[in-house]
Amino acid sequence: MPNRKLNESAFFSRLLFFNLALILLLGVLPQIGIFQYMMQAYNTELYRFNTQSVKQIRNTVDEQLLMPTVQIAKRNLTELSDDNTALFYPMTHQIRHDYSAIVNVQEALSALQSEQPFIRYVDMYYFRDPVFFYGTRFFYFPQESGRDPGFRKPWLDKFLTTDAQVGWYAASAPDAGGGEERLISYVRSYPYFAPLDRRKAVFAIHLKESAVRQSLADSFDPASGLAFIVDERGELVTGNADPDSGAAYMQAAALWAQRTGGGDPQQGSFEAELDGREAVVAYAHSRVNNWDYVTLVDKSLFYKKAADLKNLMYALWAGLLLVGLALLYVLTKKQYGPIGSTLQRYSLQLHDLNEQLAVNKPVIKYHYIMELLSGGHRIPPEPGEEAAGASDTGNAQEMRRFLGLELLGDRICCFILQPRSAGPGAPQLAEAYQLAERLEAQSAEDARIWVIVAPDRSLYGIVDLRLSSAQAGSLIAKRIVPAAGEAYTLCIGSTRQQGSDAAAYSHREAIEAGRYGFFYPDRLRLDYGELNEEERRSTGGSVRFFADLENGLKAGERNRARQAVEGAVEEMRSGGFTADYGRQQLGELVYTFHKTLKGMGVDPQLLFDTDIRAEAGGISDAELFLEWMRERLDTAFGHLEERKQRTNRDLVEGVRQFVADHLYNEISLDRAAEHLGVTPNYVSRQFKLNTGSTFIEYVTARRMEAAAGLLQGGQMTVSAIAEKLGYQSTNHFIRIFKEKYGITPKQYQKNGPNSPDQEIS
């Protein structure tokens, strides 16, 4: 009996230990593994989110604020370098006593200031006189004045004493309310590469720091973290909230400067510690200047969901552990009975987990392929990678097996199917997914196709090939174009040997090929290799068309303006230029159109009821762009013609009223033109065209009518009337009167206008 009890006790202990180990194995370790996997996924997502955010911030600020600012300087200091224009005249002439030239410069700078809402001031310093125009309405002569240029002094001193060519500066300037306003200044010299002794002018555009700050806040919510800009010295330029709201931005900028040494020409991310908390910092260098865009996200804020999940898992684990301990006693007592029930329960849980994985498989596949296309994964591993990181390689292989993405061939080629229309006739999202399924169903032994649907309804594809590079393009087109039909354009990257980032390189080439779809809307296939990207130019062309468009608008020559637009589009389509340069030149064409209309006193926003510069960016191909420009030109010329006719009518009435008001004073064409604010030649030409008589003929006729009335009154002598009407010679007056009425003034006064022996016209 004691031995039996001993055996039962030993068996009970072994069974108890086995059940305890089973509970720990099935209840605790999976929870730890899942939690670690989720934390790793959140960490990857945090880095991806931060990197994409800083790129978006850089692109937004560069394209919406900095690049337009540089373009303003380029257009006005490079493309229009005519000594007779307002901004260039003071470079070769002294304007100290030329009030008209000074006013012209101020008006030109004021027009530049109003070109963009984010511009606060536009300055111009001329070396010849010298004279300094600042704030568009103020100027002074530095040699005759002791004025302090204020916040402009740092950059002005630098450009007046060194060979500095261009620079960006942040400073505080006094505002109208007595406080201070933060400004960001873009300064450049003219000529651009001239040394100090040959410099003619210094040009500065001052941007509102609040506009840059608002752009940062719109791109990166301050609640998500810090976003700020630092200059090449590592000093803070601005942030996505009011910099005066705390020292967090200054501390973050100091952290950035310490980490990077004041700037890094590349982009990336790293971990740091701020105020005792872990954070992820991402940065990207500006494409316009030496600024760095930096975002800083507190891990604790981003990981809130992960922390909630962890607490839920701990609660679940605690519940399972309590249930397991309760079952432990039952299993120990009833031995085999509860074991089957327990295994069945865990089997159901695993079944539910597999179902959840099956439901989420398309999402996992989408993110995995996007990582391949962006260079986040390597297929196959680099030599030696298995030894260096066997677990990571194993996980990647397991992931590919789970998603059905095992490699068959030794070459990779990527393609993109771009919808050919963005309007009502564009493929719907359901149609895009159906097409993706049809394409993947065409996988065969020689080629396997993987396809995902992007948010813009484009299809991104990877083809795993067992064919040579020469056969790959025709095979892809043969299988994909018939399935896609005419609703999509097939953009193919180059075929590459399997290796690190092969898919990413080919995908980037497919994207580059897709950019040419704008200029070739009739082509269903765009092959990167056939576009000869390396031989295409990114300079030259189109400048003469800009001038023809501007001159055609100013001269009222509709055909000349249309031919300029058509010529520019045709040159970009057939001139061997890169896609990006072609789109940029067409954008410059729209900017020229917009700028010329504004220079002619026409507000394009009111005329077209939209911002044509933004509208042009949404046009999908060159044919639609050309038709769109033709319609805008017709609208503009119709408005200009109507305005011209209305202006001419007003001009004639103004001349008549001026003559009536000054009939007994000195009247001249120059005085009438000055009164109406136009040139004498313009008054003379338009008055003749609209009335059939010259200005002098009209004035003479009105004076003769007045003379006839005065003669009929009989109160004044002929010489007095001649003097009253402004004739210095009475004989001259008598001669003109006789030419008009056929008799002398004396005869007219004596006999009256109805005498039978006189002719009155």
Side-chain angles (χ1 to χ4, degrees):
M1 182 64 67
N3 290 334
R4 180 179 179 182
K5 287 184 178 180
L6 181 61
N7 292 335
E8 288 179 355
S9 176
F11 177 76
F12 181 81
S13 299
R14 287 194 296 270
L15 185 60
L16 181 64
F17 176 78
F18 172 78
N19 289 335
L20 181 60
L22 185 63
I23 291 297
L24 292 175
L25 180 64
L26 297 179
V28 178
L29 295 182
Q31 299 292 330
I32 296 175
I34 293 174
F35 178 72
Q36 291 297 327
Y37 175 78
M38 293 299 297
M39 290 299 294
Q40 182 179 1
Y42 267 97
N43 194 52
T44 301
E45 181 66 16
L46 175 58
Y47 271 89
R48 186 192 66 81
F49 166 78
N50 220 15
T51 302
Q52 290 183 350
S53 296
V54 77
K55 290 180 181 179
Q56 179 182 355
I57 292 171
R58 176 192 64 186
N59 294 340
T60 299
V61 176
D62 279 2
E63 295 175 7
Q64 295 183 1
L65 299 175
L66 304 189
M67 291 181 67
T69 301
V70 175
Q71 287 298 327
I72 290 173
K74 177 184 176 184
R75 290 196 306 271
N76 289 277
L77 291 183
T78 303
E79 301 173 359
L80 301 176
S81 55
D82 184 355
D83 288 348
N84 294 323
T85 59
L87 293 181
F88 285 85
Y89 184 82
M91 297 183 188
T92 56
H93 299 79
Q94 288 189 347
I95 64 171
R96 185 176 302 269
H97 304 295
D98 190 343
Y99 178 75
S100 176
I102 292 174
V103 171
N104 289 340
V105 173
Q106 291 175 326
E107 290 178 349
L109 296 179
S110 181
L112 295 182
Q113 177 179 316
S114 61
E115 216 175 289
Q116 295 289 353
F118 53 78
I119 296 178
R120 187 66 179 87
Y121 300 115
V122 180
D123 297 345
M124 198 77 177
Y125 183 95
Y126 293 100
F127 282 77
R128 181 177 178 82
D129 225 0
V131 59
F132 186 26
F133 290 86
Y134 63 99
T136 71
R137 292 188 301 169
F138 306 98
F139 72 97
Y140 69 94
F141 299 96
Q143 292 181 350
E144 299 178 359
S145 173
R147 297 188 189 180
D148 183 359
F151 75 94
R152 300 172 173 87
K153 182 174 177 57
W155 60 259
L156 183 59
D157 289 346
K158 183 176 181 180
F159 276 76
L160 294 181
T161 57
T162 69
D163 287 334
Q165 302 293 330
V166 66
W168 293 81
Y169 303 87
S172 295
D175 59 15
E180 287 191 345
E181 176 184 17
R182 291 277 296 171
L183 298 176
I184 297 172
S185 304
Y186 169 68
V187 187
R188 61 161 290 176
S189 64
Y190 180 84
Y192 191 35
F193 293 104
L196 183 61
D197 57 347
R198 295 174 55 192
R199 186 165 296 169
K200 296 181 179 180
V202 178
F203 181 75
I205 300 179
H206 306 287
L207 313 182
K208 300 175 184 177
E209 181 267 347
S210 58
V212 181
R213 186 193 329 139
Q214 184 61 46
S215 181
L216 289 176
D218 292 342
S219 301
F220 197 80
D221 189 348
S224 301
L226 303 181
F228 56 93
I229 303 173
V230 293
D231 60 18
E232 64 271 18
R233 298 178 297 276
E235 297 178 357
L236 179 67
V237 176
T238 187
N240 58 343
D242 190 350
D244 297 332
S245 61
Y249 288 98
M250 300 302 296
Q251 186 177 355
L255 172 67
W256 160 254
Q258 180 182 3
R259 170 65 172 79
T260 64
D264 193 321
Q266 305 300 322
Q267 60 187 24
S269 58
F270 59 88
E271 293 189 8
E273 184 173 323
L274 183 66
D275 290 337
R277 294 176 296 177
E278 293 184 350
V280 172
V281 181
Y283 58 94
H285 195 67
S286 171
R287 297 190 178 102
V288 179
N289 56 22
N290 287 327
W291 287 357
D292 287 300
Y293 297 88
V294 186
T295 58
L296 187 147
V297 176
D298 190 340
K299 279 189 174 183
S300 63
L301 296 178
F302 195 83
Y303 285 167
K304 186 178 185 302
K305 293 182 179 179
D308 294 341
L309 178 62
K310 178 182 70 174
N311 295 333
L312 177 62
M313 294 175 63
Y314 281 164
L316 179 62
W317 171 76
L320 290 175
L321 184 61
L322 291 175
V323 173
L325 292 175
L327 289 175
L328 183 64
Y329 178 78
V330 177
L331 288 172
T332 305
K333 289 294 184 182
K334 297 185 177 181
Q335 298 182 350
Y336 303 107
I339 295 177
S341 175
T342 302
L343 292 177
Q344 183 180 6
R345 183 167 61 255
Y346 277 102
S347 176
L348 291 175
Q349 291 180 355
L350 290 175
H351 177 71
D352 292 341
L353 179 60
N354 287 331
E355 286 187 344
Q356 292 179 4
L357 287 175
V359 170
N360 293 311
K361 184 176 180 179
V363 178
I364 299 173
K365 175 184 175 183
Y366 174 84
H367 287 288
Y368 185 81
I369 291 181
M370 284 301 296
E371 286 290 328
L372 289 178
L373 297 179
S374 62
H377 291 309
R378 295 177 177 179
I379 54 171
E382 290 280 353
E385 186 175 359
E386 295 184 1
S391 61
D392 292 340
T393 303
N395 290 338
Q397 293 173 349
E398 288 294 329
M399 180 65 74
R400 290 196 291 272
R401 280 195 292 268
F402 168 69
L403 297 175
L405 304 179
E406 294 99 337
L407 300 175
L408 299 178
D410 57 356
R411 289 180 176 83
I412 282 286
C413 182
C414 293
F415 67 88
I416 298 174
L417 283 172
Q418 292 184 162
R420 294 172 60 82
S421 171
Q428 300 299 310
L429 190 61
E431 296 173 348
Y433 279 106
Q434 292 172 1
L435 176 58
E437 292 178 359
R438 291 199 302 270
L439 293 177
E440 290 190 339
Q442 297 189 34
S443 297
E445 292 184 358
D446 56 353
R448 173 173 290 183
I449 303 175
W450 311 329
V451 184
I452 59 174
V453 179
D456 63 351
R457 300 178 189 175
S458 298
L459 277 71
Y460 295 168
I462 301 177
V463 184
D464 177 24
L465 296 160
R466 288 180 173 174
L467 302 173
S468 65
S469 300
Q471 298 172 308
S474 60
L475 174 70
I476 293 174
K478 181 179 179 181
R479 294 190 180 180
I480 294 177
V481 171
E486 296 186 358
Y488 293 88
T489 298
L490 174 62
C491 311
I492 308 176
S494 63
T495 302
R496 292 180 172 269
Q497 195 75 19
Q498 295 277 16
S500 175
D501 296 334
Y505 281 117
S506 183
H507 178 66
R508 284 196 290 270
E509 291 170 347
I511 293 176
E512 187 64 27
R515 293 194 178 102
Y516 288 91
F518 179 88
F519 295 100
Y520 307 112
D522 55 333
R523 294 175 59 173
L524 295 177
R525 172 183 172 186
L526 295 168
D527 195 319
Y528 178 80
E530 297 176 358
L531 292 172
N532 299 319
E533 172 76 11
E534 295 80 4
E535 299 177 6
R536 290 178 175 267
R537 294 177 291 157
S538 59
T539 58
S542 295
V543 174
R544 67 182 186 280
F545 297 115
F546 298 161
D548 285 347
L549 173 60
E550 180 177 355
N551 294 332
L553 284 168
K554 291 180 177 179
E557 299 175 2
R558 188 190 302 255
N559 289 336
R560 182 179 181 183
R562 287 175 66 108
Q563 289 172 2
V565 171
E566 293 166 357
V569 174
E570 182 60 29
E571 183 179 51
M572 289 301 104
R573 295 184 64 179
S574 59
F577 297 99
T578 63
D580 288 341
Y581 181 73
R583 292 298 296 269
Q584 175 190 343
Q585 290 298 93
L586 295 186
E588 287 289 336
L589 189 70
V590 176
Y591 269 101
T592 299
F593 182 39
H594 184 277
K595 180 191 68 176
T596 304
L597 288 178
K598 291 201 71 172
M600 297 173 67
V602 178
D603 189 340
Q605 184 76 31
L606 296 177
L607 178 61
F608 301 112
D609 197 25
T610 186
D611 187 343
I612 58 173
R613 296 168 296 183
E615 188 179 24
I619 298 177
S620 58
D621 64 62
E623 289 293 337
L624 294 177
F625 175 85
L626 184 57
E627 186 62 29
W628 177 83
M629 278 295 297
R630 287 169 177 164
E631 294 175 357
R632 297 301 177 272
L633 282 173
D634 289 341
T635 301
F637 275 105
H639 175 79
L640 291 172
E641 183 64 28
E642 180 183 353
R643 188 183 71 169
K644 181 179 178 182
Q645 294 176 359
R646 185 171 60 252
T647 301
N648 290 341
R649 289 194 298 270
D650 294 343
L651 178 68
V652 170
E653 291 304 318
V655 170
R656 288 173 173 167
Q657 188 61 44
F658 178 82
V659 172
D661 294 341
H662 299 81
L663 188 61
Y664 298 110
N665 301 324
E666 180 183 352
I667 300 178
S668 67
L669 181 62
D670 290 342
R671 290 190 61 192
E674 182 180 1
H675 175 75
L676 296 172
V678 293
T679 64
N681 288 337
Y682 184 76
V683 172
S684 177
R685 183 172 62 255
Q686 295 302 324
F687 191 82
K688 174 70 173 178
L689 288 174
N690 286 274
T691 65
S693 62
T694 66
F695 177 80
I696 297 301
E697 291 172 348
Y698 179 77
V699 172
T700 301
R702 299 289 77 79
R703 281 177 168 173
M704 291 302 102
E705 291 176 0
L710 294 173
L711 288 170
Q712 289 180 29
Q715 302 298 323
M716 299 179 66
T717 65
V718 173
S719 60
I721 293 174
E723 182 180 357
K724 180 177 180 64
L725 291 173
Y727 289 96
Q728 297 180 356
S729 171
T730 303
N731 291 332
H732 180 62
F733 165 71
I734 293 172
R735 181 174 57 79
I736 294 176
F737 187 88
K738 187 173 183 181
E739 289 177 358
K740 172 70 175 176
Y741 292 107
I743 59 176
T744 66
K746 278 289 187 183
Q747 293 171 333
Y748 185 90
Q749 190 176 43
K750 178 179 179 181
N751 300 326
N754 298 319
S755 178
D757 59 349
Q758 61 186 19
E759 250 176 59
I760 302 178
S761 59

